[in-house]
């Protein structure tokens, strides 16, 4: 189900709680909402649809994936400065991102997964994980 995008900065600055198996429906709504914003949006965090749960949805180019309880377990020493926009905020802001990250998370079956991401995908994931921490760019 496509949900409305939250723009309340006070709400978005609250830290999200860990997702459980019962939150897979929230992850599905997040994927539906990401698909509805295909143009101009490459990732979403659950608090952006009003659910303060650690769930993110990311566009991988050819498909979207939902990551529940994503956690960066390793990252490259190298980072770079870039500018990012956000569907919940207006304008673009400068930020710093790691080139590659290794992330552990739960998939849509709530099974444990670990994967490496680099480049733009890694950037999106870092932006969305920040949302789970209540961090806005
Ligand atoms: Zn954002």
């Amino acid at each position: 189900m496509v949900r409305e995008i939250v723009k309340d900065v006070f709400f978005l600055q609250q830290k999200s709680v860990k997702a459980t198996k019962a939150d897979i429906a929230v992850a599905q709504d997040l994927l539906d909402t990401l698909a509805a914003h295909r143009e101009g949006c490459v990732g979403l965090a659950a608090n952006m649809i009003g659910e303060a749960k650690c769930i993110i949805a990311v566009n991988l180019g050819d498909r979207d994936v939902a990551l529940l309880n994503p956690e960066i377990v390793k990252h490259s020493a190298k980072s770079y400065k870039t500018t990012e926009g956000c569907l919940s905020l207006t304008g673009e802001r400068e930020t710093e991102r790691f080139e590659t990250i290794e992330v552990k998370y739960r998939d849509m079956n709530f099974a444990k997964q670990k994967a490496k991401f680099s480049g733009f995908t890694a950037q999106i994931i870092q932006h969305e994980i920040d949302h789970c921490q209540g961090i806005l760019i």
Side-chain angles (χ1 to χ4, degrees):
M1 186 177 69
V2 177
R3 309 262 289 260
E4 208 175 309
I5 300 295
V6 173
K7 294 183 175 175
D8 179 347
V9 171
F10 180 77
F11 177 78
L12 292 171
Q13 284 175 337
Q14 313 296 309
K15 219 175 155 181
S16 293
V17 298
K18 277 208 162 185
T20 66
K21 219 172 174 175
D23 295 315
I24 286 169
V26 174
Q28 187 54 55
D29 282 357
L30 200 58
L31 288 168
D32 293 346
T33 308
L34 179 60
H37 291 274
R38 180 69 59 225
E39 275 187 44
C41 180
V42 286
L44 287 175
N47 58 356
M48 296 172 72
I49 58 165
E51 302 275 355
K53 301 282 171 69
C54 293
I55 306 169
I56 67 172
V58 178
N59 178 257
L60 298 183
D62 57 341
R63 68 203 155 95
D64 294 333
V65 288
L67 280 60
L68 291 86
N69 300 328
E71 205 182 303
I72 296 171
V73 289
K74 235 185 255 176
H75 61 74
S76 58
K78 243 184 163 182
S79 62
Y80 60 96
K81 282 205 168 82
T82 184
T83 53
E84 293 175 355
C86 178
L87 207 55
S88 288
L89 308 168
T90 44
E92 292 206 333
R93 286 156 188 81
E94 195 169 283
T95 185
E96 195 160 352
R97 299 298 182 200
F98 298 112
E99 275 180 2
T100 59
I101 52 171
E102 191 171 331
V103 181
K104 68 171 188 180
Y105 62 97
R106 300 271 185 160
D107 64 17
M108 285 299 274
N109 298 312
F110 215 67
K112 283 185 180 172
Q113 301 288 348
K114 203 192 250 184
K116 276 185 185 162
F117 301 96
S118 61
F120 191 47
T121 306
Q123 184 183 348
I124 302 165
I125 292 171
Q126 288 171 84
H127 177 108
E128 303 313 333
I129 288 179
D130 276 358
H131 271 295
C132 297
Q133 306 295 324
I135 298 166
L136 297 170
I137 51 154

